[in-house]
């Protein structure tokens, strides 16, 4: 079975691996057709992803076809096109028992903590498959990325008409902006890159865009002017940059919310008096759930979520190892790259 293995930082190997086992009860055998490339994959290639153990088969944004199902599987059947929810939870810890398995204490994510989808076939728990007869394999592979933004917006509990700032215009930031707009808010975007700001303004429902100014006072003054006189009620930080995440603490209005969607490994700190004075709510958002997947599929099928601008770069199995390094270069303008295994 053709498989692409990240043997060590900067080095993919095309190899043959054993066929996956036949599906047992509540499992399904699927053929992988599309693999979306995200920041986690790019960082793994660089050697800066802290949760990766090499060698590893990457791939957690998956569009696939069901080949065979095990006993007791009823919601999918052979021939169905599916989006794959890549989060493998324990089912027993405190958050799993509460239905919040996206932050399971021992979560395993395909392509991150365990081998993923950069191979022809894989056997997975059937409950992790979400079918659609209407959507393309490209669209199905985008659902996981969209789910990160959708889940973050759900965590925030937005109110229609409020001002929302999304910091960072990578795929997660853009997905967050899309779902914040669907919630009826006025969405503003802050992004350092002129190229990314222009892309976002051209393809997404934004009320305005800005770049950080030279000082925090200037940035907050510009945000207040952009948002009609007040700072934004809710701020989503989707950067994964310590400096940006620290700066985002200053952006919400009094009584507002700050949602950290991106993450990094170092500690963050903030002024306790300022935190209390503004009575801020600070939230984390991790991954998404099956309910998020199902909602996104419905919105995509109804045409309310447009994925047509997303895929900017593409490669097949025989070329991805050569093209992958170029996708790390910001000058290349990558928004979402896609591996096509067909």
């Amino acid at each position: 079975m053709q498989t692409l293995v990240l043997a060590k930082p900067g080095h993919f190997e095309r190899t043959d691996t054993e066929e996956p086992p036949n599906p047992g009860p509540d499992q399904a055998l699927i053929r992988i057709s599309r693999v979306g490339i995200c920041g986690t994959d790019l960082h793994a290639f660089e050697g800066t992803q802290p949760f990766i153990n090499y060698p590893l088969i990457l791939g957690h944004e998956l569009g696939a076809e069901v080949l065979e199902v095990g006993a007791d599987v009823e919601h999918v059947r052979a021939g169905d096109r599916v989006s794959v929810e890549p989060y493998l939870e324990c089912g027993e810890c405190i958050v799993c028992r509460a239905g919040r398995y996206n932050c399971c204490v021992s979560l395993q994510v395909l392509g991150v903590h365990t081998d993923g989808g950069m191979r022809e076939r894989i056997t997975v728990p059937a409950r992790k498959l979400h079918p659609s007869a209407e959507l393309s394999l490209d669209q199905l592979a985008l659902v996981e990325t969209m789910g990160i933004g959708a889940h973050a917006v759900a965590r925030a509990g937005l109110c229609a008409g409020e001002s929302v700032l999304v910091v960072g215009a990578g795929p997660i930031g853009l997905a967050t902006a899309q779902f914040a707009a669907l919630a009826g808010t006025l969405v503003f975007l802050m992004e350092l890159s002129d190229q990314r700001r222009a892309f976002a303004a051209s393809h997404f429902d934004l009320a305005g865009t800005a770049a950080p100014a030279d000082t925090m006072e200037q940035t907050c003054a510009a945000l207040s002017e952009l948002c009609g006189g007040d700072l934004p009620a809710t701020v989503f930080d989707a950067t994964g940059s310590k400096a940006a995440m620290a700066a985002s603490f200053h952006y919400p209005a009094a009584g507002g919310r700050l949602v950290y969607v991106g993450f990094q490994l170092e500690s963050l700190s903030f002024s306790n008096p300022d935190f209390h004075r503004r009575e801020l709510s600070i939230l984390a958002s991790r991954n998404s759930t099956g309910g998020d997947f199902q909602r996104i599929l419905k919105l995509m099928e109804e045409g309310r979520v447009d994925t047509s601008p997303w895929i900017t770069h593409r490669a097949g199995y025989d070329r991805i190892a050569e093209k992958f390094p170029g996708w790390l270069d910001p000058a290349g303008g990558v928004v979402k790259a896609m591996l096509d295994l067909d």
Side-chain angles (χ1 to χ4, degrees):
M1 177 175 68
Q2 286 187 326
T3 303
L4 196 67
V5 177
L6 185 60
K8 59 184 180 180
H11 181 64
F12 278 112
E13 291 182 355
R14 298 183 186 91
T15 187
D16 288 326
T17 56
E18 292 184 3
E19 289 287 341
N22 293 328
D26 302 315
Q27 292 184 324
L29 175 66
I30 59 175
R31 179 176 64 85
I32 305 298
S33 292
R34 302 289 189 278
V35 182
I37 307 301
C38 82
T40 298
D41 304 312
L42 296 173
H43 295 150
F45 185 82
E46 288 181 312
T48 57
Q49 168 45 257
F51 307 120
I52 295 292
N53 291 313
Y54 303 89
L56 183 73
I57 303 170
L58 298 179
H60 63 277
E61 300 179 4
L62 308 176
E65 178 189 348
V66 177
L67 297 177
E68 183 182 351
V69 299
D72 302 321
V73 176
E74 296 181 352
H75 76 290
V76 293
R77 60 185 180 180
D80 284 351
R81 293 193 301 271
V82 293
S83 181
V84 181
E85 185 187 340
Y87 316 123
L88 307 178
E89 72 278 6
C90 75
E92 299 177 355
C93 69
I94 184 171
V95 283
C96 283
R97 296 196 307 269
R100 297 178 59 189
Y101 59 84
N102 57 294
C103 53
C104 169
V105 299
S106 56
L107 189 71
Q108 297 283 294
V109 179
L110 292 175
V112 181
H113 307 98
T114 189
D115 283 336
M118 286 191 179
R119 46 182 157 168
E120 291 182 88
R121 290 170 290 279
I122 183 174
T123 298
V124 297
R127 70 181 184 279
K128 296 299 181 180
L129 302 181
H130 301 277
S132 174
E134 300 178 33
L135 300 179
S136 69
L137 290 162
D138 280 351
Q139 290 173 302
L140 291 167
L142 292 172
V143 174
E144 195 275 342
T145 293
M146 310 288 273
I148 306 297
H151 188 76
V153 168
R155 287 277 288 152
L158 300 179
C159 298
E162 72 176 61
S163 295
V164 167
L165 175 68
V166 177
V167 184
I172 301 304
L174 295 177
T176 303
Q178 275 196 307
F179 286 95
L182 280 173
T185 66
L186 297 173
V187 182
F188 300 88
L189 180 75
M190 180 178 286
E191 166 61 47
L192 280 168
S193 165
D194 294 341
Q195 184 180 35
R196 284 194 165 189
R197 283 200 314 278
F199 178 89
S202 297
H203 296 291
F204 295 90
D205 185 12
L206 302 176
T209 67
D214 292 336
T215 68
M216 183 58 62
E217 291 77 12
Q218 291 172 331
T219 299
C220 287
L223 282 176
S224 180
E225 182 178 355
L226 190 66
C227 296
D230 292 312
L231 287 169
T234 301
V235 175
F236 296 92
D237 189 290
T239 64
S241 158
K242 181 180 180 179
M245 293 168 74
S248 288
F249 172 80
H250 300 279
Y251 300 153
R257 313 171 197 88
L258 171 58
V259 184
Y260 284 121
V261 193
F263 78 97
Q264 49 82 48
L265 293 180
E266 298 182 62
S267 296
L268 293 172
S269 62
F270 53 81
S271 164
N272 189 57
D274 192 13
F275 175 62
H276 276 77
R277 177 181 61 80
R278 289 186 288 158
E279 197 179 42
L280 293 182
S281 297
I282 298 181
L283 300 167
S285 182
R286 186 183 184 195
N287 300 323
S288 60
T289 67
D292 295 317
F293 269 66
Q294 291 162 20
R295 175 172 172 252
I296 293 164
L297 288 170
K298 186 173 187 295
L299 290 168
M300 291 170 72
E301 289 169 348
E302 293 172 348
R304 296 177 62 194
V305 170
D306 179 19
T307 59
S308 59
W310 280 83
I311 301 173
T312 55
H313 295 68
R314 188 183 295 271
Y317 177 81
D318 292 334
R319 293 295 310 281
I320 187 171
E322 291 74 26
K323 289 193 173 184
F324 208 93
W327 294 343
L328 282 83
D329 183 358
V334 175
V335 175
K336 176 60 64 178
M338 187 69 67
L339 169 60
D340 187 339
L341 290 176
D342 283 346

